[in-house]
Amino acid sequence: MANIILVQFGKKIREERHKQNLSQEQLAEKAGLHRTYIGMIERAEKNITLENIHKICKALGLQLSELFRGLNG
């Protein structure tokens, strides 16, 4: 089973993406990442790097602290 923090983080990415009515492909394009990578993050299949977290934050127009708020691992 995936680490709980990865599950929570993936859920947060999906929620923020949906709030902005973005597809995985649109978010991936804005972040300079591959669509399948976004899906893997959302499904907690990848342990994402800080560099890529930063790219996703920028693409979503969020601060790092906003993305991590509420995660309890």
Side-chain angles (χ1 to χ4, degrees):
M1 182 174 186
N3 185 317
I4 189 70
I5 194 69
L6 296 180
V7 172
Q8 289 176 351
F9 185 79
K11 182 178 177 184
K12 181 77 171 192
I13 294 291
R14 183 179 296 116
E15 288 171 358
E16 293 296 333
R17 179 175 62 77
H18 284 171
K19 282 182 191 176
Q20 296 184 31
N21 294 314
L22 294 172
S23 67
Q24 288 180 347
E25 186 173 15
Q26 290 168 320
L27 175 57
E29 186 174 315
K30 287 179 77 169
L33 301 169
H34 197 276
R35 177 194 54 81
T36 58
Y37 185 68
I38 297 295
M40 294 173 86
I41 293 164
E42 290 183 358
R43 293 187 304 274
E45 296 172 355
K46 280 284 181 192
N47 191 353
I48 185 172
T49 66
L50 188 54
E51 273 185 345
N52 288 338
I53 291 170
H54 184 252
K55 289 178 183 180
I56 290 172
C57 281
K58 285 178 64 176
L60 291 170
L62 299 173
Q63 297 293 318
L64 286 170
S65 60
E66 293 175 281
L67 197 56
F68 286 102
R69 190 172 295 126
L71 301 185
N72 296 318

